[in-house]
Amino acid sequence: MLNGSQENRFDFDDAQSAAERGLQVVSARFLDSEPFNWDLFEGFDNMRVLTYSVSAPMIVQMLKKYSFKHFECVFGYEGGLGRFADIIAFQQFLVNQLRETAFKIEDDRQRIILERIHAGEAEFYVVKDNIAHSKLYLLESIEPQRRRVIVGSANFSERAFGGKQPETLIVFDDDDNAWDHYSREYDAVKETAADRIDLPVDVQSAEITFTDTPIMQDTGLTVFQPPQVEELTIQQVIHKVEELTIPVERIVSPQVTRDRGKYILTPTVKAEIKKMRWRKGEHDNEETRPTNLTIHQESRHVSLSGEHISLEVDEEGLRRSAQAIVEYFNNYELGFVGDVPRLQRDYFTFMSWLYISPFICDLRTQAVVTGGNIFHYPSFAVIYGKSNCGKTSLVDTLITSMFGHPHTVQKDSFTRSTLRGIQHNYKRFPVVFDDITRQRFNLHGLDIVKDENLPSVQEHPCFVLSMNAEPQSFQDEVVKRCLMIYTNTSLPTHQYALADRLYASVEDIRNRLTTDLYRKYLAVVMDKLDATPLPRDILQVSSETICELLDQYSGSQLPEWCRLVSWGEYADSRYERPTRRLDALLAPENYRKSIGEGEHGWSIQADSVVVWGKADLFGRTSLKGEIPDFLYDDTSSVGDTFVLYRKQTEDFLDRKITPPGFKWPWNN
């Protein structure tokens, strides 16, 4: 590795022979083929391997099976190395894999292998770039002089060489031209794109940390240029196809004819499609344009649909946006009926989550790696309640404050087959679905909500769902995985003049909004995430930042709704309604001595509370779906009769649950 004033560069310009030349075509002649045999590696003194599949057991096997005087292996990586963190993490993983494999060898072979490694007879390198995509094996013997080049699809792994998957190897024996060509390729990767791995002497010590990786041990300057070209995944292709299908289907389906099992596309239909394409291009705007957001936190690089977004802000635009946001939230006091302060507070909680949502993909990844609570970083937000409560207007206004225009995905795209593709395409840009029905959510959304596995892409968005639904519409397994915002506060539909004034006010506010407030927010939050990479309370971090900015730039005293939000406060409030309903259900007047007596009621059985009834006291559907999982004894519950743990329920309601007239002995 290079030290001092020398640069250890990571960009593709360095490895000229391996990267700049790109795809190479080698002319060869076919002689014959035969099944793989391990004798292919027998009888050689030296072996060099270039592979991008890591199998530490395979390495150990080779070192045990063959007496190479010198063994060398360069490890590439199948995934994309798009960030510094990817490279460091891969290097850390690889070193620990080699260490763990050596540690599992319990006899004297462990000592022999480690001695060979530390004596320099076996050397390992790990890539620091994306260019090592070859599978290459170079074998050489001195006496007799022999050279063998092996190339092909098989990685250096037990699976590939064990006949468990179809692979092909091409062998060049004593071919000087092949040897010279592939040796140059190997050396180019090793010398310009790889770091040497030095295994710890004591393999039984604790796992190495990222600070012990080869790249971090290098004292020289490191420069990394992430790859710019990305291939579409299968999920992305599916989504893009279905996204294009939706408008075409509306034109084609009513006019297409069917004759003996064949669909006939008439010239008239074709003409309509052509006009539709022309209209789409003619009226294309920011609201319909495909959108994605990329953030590289280390470099502070932010791009929206490929366009660089500067974090330098205009002070006047910042003040205008801060004032507009405060005015927007204060507008709820001008005509909405119900608990308006609660509405403002809940909507500010949503704003705090939405603003930080582009970073949630990173936080969820860190939580999985470090064993953190992934439920503290929800990737779904559900705003639901009565119609006409301003849900759609709120989301559109906040998205406009973030990116300059609202962006809503057609609800027809809310399907199992497209949600994963959308997840890949939008990167960090929040995906908004408006007016999703409960049926569509249950049919298509539950799987992705409950899936706690990380997507295959590093940057993926959060989802915002706006729904007209009752509180009992969602089970606890959904509630604990999503940010749930419920409101029964609404704008009276019969007051047309008031509604028109508010709509005009909202339109004026959006016209005054700039993205300066959010760009300032991004810069501040990235500084905070640098100091605390995995904050336990994202709502606190986000709301604190928003309050600071609004306090500094709005020019007015912060209203009551604009104050710090904590995850604990939110978590308590999301169970507020089921708490009130359960408390009412367990009222003394509903107590029954016998289980099942009457249409509904409750009784005590040992350490349990038994509740029954097809409907609650208010005539609504059963409360069972709203009850938190930790209260519910599903092994004893059957049908409309469900059993609650008595002690946990008492803690949840913050009161004792006793039959009417019961007195504790110490109160006598």
Side-chain angles (χ1 to χ4, degrees), residues 606-620:
D607 296 328
S608 301
V609 179
V610 183
V611 183
W612 64 94
K614 296 182 180 181
D616 65 19
L617 296 178
F618 307 97
R620 299 187 178 94

Side-chain angles (χ1 to χ4, degrees), residues 71-303:
F71 177 88
E72 195 172 276
C73 183
V74 177
F75 292 105
Y77 181 52
E78 286 182 304
L81 296 174
R83 303 176 297 181
F84 272 125
D86 299 327
I87 299 167
I88 296 171
F90 175 59
Q91 292 189 354
Q92 180 183 354
F93 166 79
L94 179 60
V95 176
N96 280 317
Q97 279 286 101
L98 294 173
R99 170 195 165 275
E100 291 173 6
T101 303
F103 176 69
K104 291 177 181 178
I105 303 175
E106 298 179 352
D107 55 27
D108 198 51
R109 291 173 296 175
Q110 180 189 104
R111 178 185 58 81
I112 296 173
I113 291 172
L114 291 176
E115 286 180 353
R116 292 185 64 185
I117 293 174
H118 292 297
E121 297 175 6
E123 296 180 279
F124 304 100
Y125 298 82
V126 60
V127 294
K128 59 188 181 189
D129 219 325
N130 258 348
I131 68 173
H133 287 261
S134 303
K135 296 91 163 181
L136 175 60
Y137 309 88
L138 301 172
L139 297 113
E140 186 178 20
S141 66
I142 308 303
E143 188 63 42
Q145 186 175 4
R146 296 174 58 204
R147 288 174 171 175
R148 174 169 288 171
V149 177
I150 305 174
V151 296
S153 62
N155 281 304
F156 196 49
S157 68
E158 293 177 298
R159 181 175 179 85
F161 281 84
K164 298 179 181 180
Q165 57 191 36
E167 303 284 0
T168 298
L169 295 175
I170 300 173
V171 179
F172 299 90
D173 277 327
D174 297 323
D175 188 322
D176 292 341
N177 291 330
W179 181 265
D180 292 342
H181 173 81
Y182 288 109
S183 292
R184 286 195 303 268
E185 294 297 303
Y186 177 89
D187 290 338
V189 174
K190 173 188 170 183
E191 294 171 8
T192 63
D195 286 327
R196 177 169 173 168
I197 298 173
D198 294 314
L199 284 182
V201 176
D202 182 12
V203 296
Q204 301 188 27
S205 61
E207 290 190 354
I208 72 157
T209 64
F210 73 91
T211 57
D212 299 318
T213 57
I215 186 175
M216 298 301 295
Q217 293 299 307
D218 180 15
T219 58
L221 177 65
T222 297
V223 180
F224 173 62
Q225 177 180 318
Q228 300 298 317
V229 180
E230 298 182 10
E231 294 184 359
L232 294 178
T233 65
I234 296 293
Q235 294 93 336
Q236 288 175 298
V237 173
I238 292 174
H239 167 57
K240 288 184 178 294
V241 170
E242 291 214 8
E243 194 176 49
L244 293 171
T245 300
I246 292 170
V248 175
E249 179 73 11
R250 295 191 179 115
I251 297 289
V252 173
S253 291
Q255 303 183 55
V256 70
T257 58
R258 185 173 179 176
D259 183 19
R260 289 174 289 186
K262 298 180 180 179
Y263 291 95
I264 301 174
L265 200 63
T266 65
T268 302
V269 175
K270 293 179 182 179
E272 287 296 317
I273 295 175
K274 289 179 180 179
K275 286 191 291 184
M276 182 196 69
R277 289 180 62 191
W278 177 83
R279 288 198 300 266
K280 184 174 185 283
E282 188 74 11
H283 298 288
D284 193 22
N285 56 48
E286 292 290 340
E287 296 187 19
T288 60
R289 189 174 302 161
T291 306
N292 61 73
L293 176 70
T294 293
I295 298 176
H296 294 288
Q297 191 172 327
E298 295 111 336
S299 63
R300 296 297 194 266
H301 179 81
V302 180
S303 63

Side-chain angles (χ1 to χ4, degrees), residues 193 303 363 396 458 587 643:
S303 63
L363 300 176
D396 286 349
Q458 296 165 347
V643 179

Side-chain angles (χ1 to χ4, degrees), residues 317-551:
L318 186 54
R319 285 192 293 271
R320 285 169 51 197
S321 293
Q323 293 167 1
I325 288 294
V326 172
E327 184 177 341
Y328 180 85
F329 274 80
N330 288 343
N331 264 0
Y332 291 113
E333 301 170 8
L334 302 180
F336 277 70
V337 177
D339 192 348
V340 174
R342 174 65 181 270
L343 174 75
Q344 293 170 310
R345 186 66 177 157
D346 288 344
Y347 280 3
F348 181 68
T349 299
F350 170 74
M351 177 183 179
S352 300
W353 173 88
L354 182 64
Y355 267 35
I356 205 170
S357 65
F359 300 97
I360 287 180
C361 58
D362 300 325
L363 300 176
R364 289 175 67 88
T365 299
Q366 294 181 55
V368 170
V369 172
T370 62
N373 188 351
I374 198 171
F375 291 165
H376 284 183
Y377 314 98
S379 58
F380 274 78
V382 181
I383 307 180
Y384 67 110
K386 291 182 177 181
S387 60
N388 216 36
C389 63
K391 301 185 294 292
T392 301
S393 173
L394 172 72
V395 177
D396 286 349
T397 301
L398 293 179
I399 293 292
T400 300
S401 75
M402 297 167 71
F403 307 111
H405 60 86
H407 187 93
T408 303
V409 182
Q410 296 178 8
K411 58 185 176 182
D412 295 348
S413 295
F414 193 86
T415 66
R416 291 183 181 182
S417 60
T418 59
L419 282 176
R420 291 296 185 190
I422 292 173
Q423 196 175 45
H424 288 205
N425 283 331
Y426 278 67
K427 297 185 177 179
R428 298 173 187 259
F429 194 95
V431 179
V432 179
F433 288 98
D434 188 35
D435 196 25
I436 297 296
T437 65
R438 178 183 175 183
Q439 182 181 9
R440 180 177 284 271
F441 174 79
N442 291 338
L443 185 62
H444 300 287
L446 285 180
D447 288 343
I448 193 171
V449 168
K450 294 189 290 185
D451 186 3
E452 294 167 16
N453 295 316
L454 298 174
S456 58
V457 290
Q458 296 165 347
E459 295 186 298
H460 46 91
C462 290
F463 291 82
V464 178
L465 309 181
S466 172
M467 304 173 63
N468 294 329
E470 290 296 318
Q472 60 268 28
S473 299
F474 304 97
Q475 298 179 351
D476 185 56
E477 60 181 353
V478 173
V479 173
K480 67 184 182 184
R481 289 176 169 86
C482 302
L483 185 91
M484 308 295 296
I485 303 295
Y486 171 78
T487 180
N488 59 2
T489 305
S490 62
L491 183 67
T493 55
H494 67 282
Q495 299 184 14
Y496 303 112
L498 174 62
D500 287 343
R501 287 198 303 271
L502 288 177
Y503 290 146
S505 176
V506 169
E507 189 67 24
D508 176 65
I509 288 171
R510 286 188 195 164
N511 291 333
R512 287 187 276 129
L513 278 173
T514 71
T515 60
D516 293 284
L517 176 67
Y518 188 63
R519 287 186 286 120
K520 183 68 174 181
Y521 170 93
L522 288 175
V524 175
V525 164
M526 280 193 274
D527 288 341
K528 292 182 178 182
L529 293 178
D530 282 345
T532 309
L534 188 62
R536 179 172 176 82
D537 195 333
I538 59 171
L539 293 180
Q540 180 174 319
V541 171
S542 185
S543 63
E544 178 186 67
T545 305
I546 296 172
C547 289
E548 291 171 351
L549 295 176
L550 294 183
D551 184 43

